[in-house]
Amino acid sequence: MRAATRRVGRPAQPTDIPADEEILARGLAAFAELGYDRASVRELARRLGVSHNFINDRYGSKERFWRAVIDRSLAAQVARLRDVLNVAGEDDLARLRNLVHAFHQANVAEPDLPRILQYESIRGGERLEYVFQRYLVPVRDAVAPLVQRLVEQGRVRSVPIDVMVYAVVAMNSVNAEVSLVSLLGDTFATDPQGFARMLGDILLDGLVMGAGG
């Protein structure tokens, strides 16, 4: 009997490929640690636990894999913020405060996203625009009418919306600067959620009319 021969071609994919959610989570961690440019396809494959051609076969390119990773994280973040924004019967000022807290708490819980945002913010370009359009624009557009109502009611200071959104986003840099923050004291190490909440309160108390007397 003639022995079966194996066709020449690409090596077989491993049978124990992680689930899609795990692949995207590992990808997020890799891009956050290495940055886009240093995250080669080979290094990504090693960290994902897949063959070197997996990313191109499954996603088409490293760029498209990066977008899939970002989309997974952004969708969850935006959904959380919309849930807070849409709580019925809540006072507008309480809604704004809860929204800012939710934004910071979400990024403390998943710090890799703000690290990637910081990396892309320094470089600019299409990837930053991608994150901006899918993350910051929905947040800005959802918050703007709420802030405008509070300004008209004389409850918060009239601050340009771009200044306010930047102030909120900039406070997330704590997630990318843990080493520096740890040198300042042990508050973040012992209570990262509380640290983020205090940052939000400092920002909000600076906006609220009459806060602090």
Side-chain angles (χ1 to χ4, degrees):
M1 175 182 273
R2 185 179 177 182
T5 58
R6 181 179 172 278
R7 284 187 179 180
V8 176
R10 291 183 173 180
Q13 292 280 3
T15 57
D16 56 345
I17 294 174
D20 287 348
E21 186 71 9
E22 179 65 20
I23 286 172
L24 295 175
R26 292 183 189 180
L28 185 74
F31 283 121
E33 179 185 342
L34 301 173
Y36 183 85
D37 296 322
R38 289 176 54 213
S40 67
V41 170
R42 184 174 296 278
E43 177 61 17
L44 287 169
R46 186 185 71 79
R47 293 186 179 219
L48 299 180
V50 297
S51 66
H52 71 278
N53 59 321
F54 173 86
I55 290 175
N56 287 332
D57 286 348
R58 174 73 64 90
Y59 298 97
S61 66
K62 183 175 85 167
E63 174 75 21
R64 291 178 65 180
F65 176 61
W66 181 89
R67 293 191 177 200
V69 165
I70 294 299
D71 286 346
R72 165 195 167 271
S73 184
L74 294 184
Q77 298 278 41
V78 171
R80 291 189 196 102
L81 297 179
R82 284 180 175 158
D83 287 344
V84 173
L85 191 63
N86 294 327
V87 173
E90 191 170 51
D91 174 75
D92 278 344
L93 189 55
R95 182 178 284 110
L96 177 62
R97 187 174 293 273
N98 290 338
L99 186 66
V100 171
H101 285 156
F103 181 78
H104 289 152
Q105 301 287 349
N107 283 285
V108 167
E110 189 172 80
D112 290 333
L113 180 59
R115 288 170 183 160
I116 290 173
L117 178 58
Q118 185 183 59
Y119 176 90
E120 300 300 344
S121 296
I122 294 170
R123 288 154 183 79
E126 292 183 1
R127 290 191 303 275
L128 176 60
E129 182 70 19
Y130 190 86
V131 177
F132 175 75
Q133 292 295 336
R134 283 160 177 74
Y135 191 29
L136 299 183
V137 168
V139 173
R140 181 195 64 191
D141 292 349
V143 168
L146 173 61
V147 172
Q148 184 58 37
R149 288 197 303 271
L150 289 167
V151 169
E152 291 171 355
Q153 296 166 11
R155 302 181 69 190
V156 301
R157 304 178 195 282
S158 181
V159 176
I161 193 66
D162 57 337
V163 174
M164 180 180 175
V165 171
Y166 177 77
V168 174
V169 173
M171 288 186 174
N172 278 322
S173 64
V174 66
N175 296 288
E177 299 171 357
V178 173
S179 296
L180 172 61
V181 173
S182 298
L183 289 175
L184 297 173
D186 60 0
T187 304
F188 184 85
T190 57
D191 185 10
Q193 298 284 354
F195 190 100
R197 188 175 186 86
M198 283 185 276
L199 286 178
D201 284 337
I202 289 170
L203 169 65
L204 291 161
D205 289 345
L207 289 171
V208 176
M209 297 292 286

